[in-house]
Amino acid sequence: MTNDLKGILRGQRPLAHLDHPREMIRQFTPNWFAATMGTGILALALPQIPGMGHILTPVGEALWFFNIALFALFTVLYTARWLMFGHEARRIFGHNTVSMFIGTIPMGLATIINGCLAFGIARFGDAIVPVAHVLWWIDVAMSLACGVLIPYFMFTRHQHSLDAMTAVWLLPVVAAEVAGASGGLLAPHLADPQAQLIVLATSYVLWAYSVPVAFGLLAILILRMALHKLPHEGMAASSWLALGPIGTGALGMLVLGGDAPQIMAQHGLGAVGETAQGIGVIAGLTLWGFGLWWLLLATLITIRYWRAGVPFNLGWWGYTFPLGVYTVATFRLGTTLNLVFFDVAGTVLTIALGAMWLLVGAKTVAGAWRGNLFVSPCIAATN
């Protein structure tokens, strides 16, 4: 970390690796939004550490505000790219890999929406709930679009092969289940019972819109790694991305199942709500077990990569959000089942998440300052 920041501390000129500062805009890609995902999920995880949540809540809130600023900055830069270099920005839809990262935009927004509930209500009062509600529907629209349009481009424009497949394929698909889990957190805060039911039902649909497709991709991914071994070193962090839909799937079932009894009882569906709660607990626990297998596998793969030495790129943010959402699901199991094991496991995972966030964050700041992280493969492929 020290070496990464040494150039900044010595007064190195910002964006020294770029021919002109406007190249920062020209080369800006959605990959950067992965940083908002990692930052947002850490903010949400910190207050959930048992016995220390009240101490770490201000830290989480500060990270939430920082995440809002990051998301706003990235939105301005990416919008500017479309306005100034639209003919090049459009090439993203034809790129096999970068197009997948469009899914990071709604997922980054989802962490901000969840922060509105975790931190915003205490800070600004219930007036922030309608804001979160509107943002959630925007997030839903973007997630639905990503989940179907990017696969459509895969089927009609891109050139893919099994040996070149990575877990990056999951990014546009997983956005919908992230929105679904966020809906589960939002629904109980809405004042109107009808709005609660609509958000709850929509969130279940979003879960189903995403999880089966994601698990189909996971099956193909396991086959790909068995036949063609690990991806090249530039995609080292992609092994963690598979933990994302597993952890989010578990969290979604737990949260939605927890909402269901009260919300559905208000509409004469009490028995359905109780059944949904039971299914949520069993599904969440089962998916957590599957996630444990992938967590251990991804750890072994990462050790292998890091021993060989891997160059840093923005893909390293893939180490954070999947681990973070699995961590939050772990804490949710602890509160649902009242088992200390999950509290301890969640605490250990949060410490690992915080350490990884510091490492990747420092390298990102250094790379952004130098300018070498502003690279658009869509442009490079045509030069």
Side-chain angles (χ1 to χ4, degrees):
M1 189 182 302
T2 303
N3 292 335
D4 289 314
L5 298 178
K6 190 178 296 183
I8 298 177
L9 297 176
R10 289 179 176 175
Q12 182 186 60
R13 181 173 62 87
L15 305 179
H17 284 234
L18 299 179
D19 295 333
H20 191 279
R22 67 170 174 268
E23 284 294 298
M24 179 179 67
I25 296 175
R26 180 171 177 255
Q27 302 280 352
F28 192 86
T29 63
N31 304 48
W32 285 89
F33 285 91
T36 67
M37 295 169 59
T39 302
I41 199 64
L42 176 61
L44 295 168
L46 287 174
Q48 299 187 49
I49 296 180
M52 297 187 64
H54 64 289
I55 299 174
L56 295 174
T57 294
V59 179
E61 184 181 15
L63 281 174
W64 175 60
F65 280 118
F66 175 62
N67 200 37
I68 293 173
L70 272 185
F71 192 91
L73 173 62
F74 295 164
T75 300
V76 168
L77 289 174
Y78 196 45
T79 301
R81 186 188 182 194
W82 274 92
L83 294 175
M84 297 170 62
F85 306 100
H87 62 292
E88 293 178 333
R90 284 191 294 271
R91 296 176 187 170
I92 188 174
F93 298 115
H95 196 277
N96 293 5
T97 302
V98 184
S99 59
M100 306 297 166
F101 283 88
I102 293 176
T104 63
I105 300 176
M107 287 191 281
L109 178 59
T111 65
I112 294 175
I113 296 169
N114 295 345
C116 289
L117 307 173
F119 309 111
I121 294 176
R123 174 66 60 181
F124 304 109
D126 290 337
I128 201 172
V129 174
V131 176
H133 192 193
V134 172
L135 289 175
W136 183 75
W137 281 111
I138 294 173
D139 191 66
V140 168
M142 290 194 296
S143 299
L144 291 173
C146 287
V148 70
L149 291 179
I150 302 304
Y152 174 76
F153 292 142
M154 291 177 67
F155 303 157
T156 59
R157 296 189 184 185
H158 300 170
Q159 296 294 325
H160 293 281
S161 60
L162 183 61
D163 64 311
M165 178 195 185
T166 68
V168 170
W169 285 19
L170 291 164
L171 289 176
V173 172
V174 175
E177 65 176 287
V178 173
S182 297
L185 296 172
L186 173 64
H189 293 280
L190 299 175
D192 180 15
Q194 186 66 22
Q196 290 182 342
L197 181 62
I198 291 173
V199 170
L200 180 68
T202 302
S203 297
Y204 270 111
V205 171
L206 290 167
W207 192 94
Y209 186 91
S210 170
V211 173
V213 180
F215 274 59
L217 290 173
L218 287 177
I220 299 172
L221 182 63
I222 294 173
L223 175 64
R224 174 254 177 269
M225 290 197 296
L227 295 179
H228 302 286
K229 308 312 174 192
L230 300 179
H232 61 81
E233 61 183 15
M235 301 298 292
S238 66
S239 59
W240 286 85
L241 295 181
L243 189 61
I246 301 171
T248 307
L251 179 63
M253 282 289 97
L254 289 165
V255 171
L256 295 173
D259 295 342
Q262 180 180 354
I263 293 177
M264 290 189 171
Q266 298 177 88
H267 299 272
L269 299 170
V272 176
E274 293 178 3
T275 300
Q277 184 179 39
I279 292 174
V281 173
I282 298 302
L285 190 58
T286 303
L287 288 174
W288 190 89
F290 181 29
L292 178 62
W293 178 82
W294 206 288
L295 172 69
L296 297 175
L297 179 65
T299 301
L300 292 175
I301 291 174
T302 300
I303 293 172
R304 181 184 178 91
Y305 272 122
W306 284 20
R307 280 181 175 176
V310 292
F312 176 75
N313 57 53
L314 287 175
W316 279 37
W317 282 103
Y319 291 119
T320 57
F321 184 79
L323 176 60
V325 75
Y326 185 74
T327 299
V328 173
T330 303
F331 281 132
R332 190 76 183 197
L333 277 171
T335 57
T336 300
L337 300 175
N338 196 27
L339 291 177
V340 176
F341 166 78
F342 290 107
D343 294 337
V344 174
T347 301
V348 172
L349 292 172
T350 304
I351 294 172
L353 173 62
M356 185 57 67
W357 183 85
L358 288 172
L359 173 64
V360 179
K363 288 181 175 293
T364 301
V365 169
W369 183 271
R370 292 191 300 264
N372 63 293
L373 289 182
F374 293 102
V375 178
S376 175
C378 309
I379 298 175
T382 59
N383 288 341

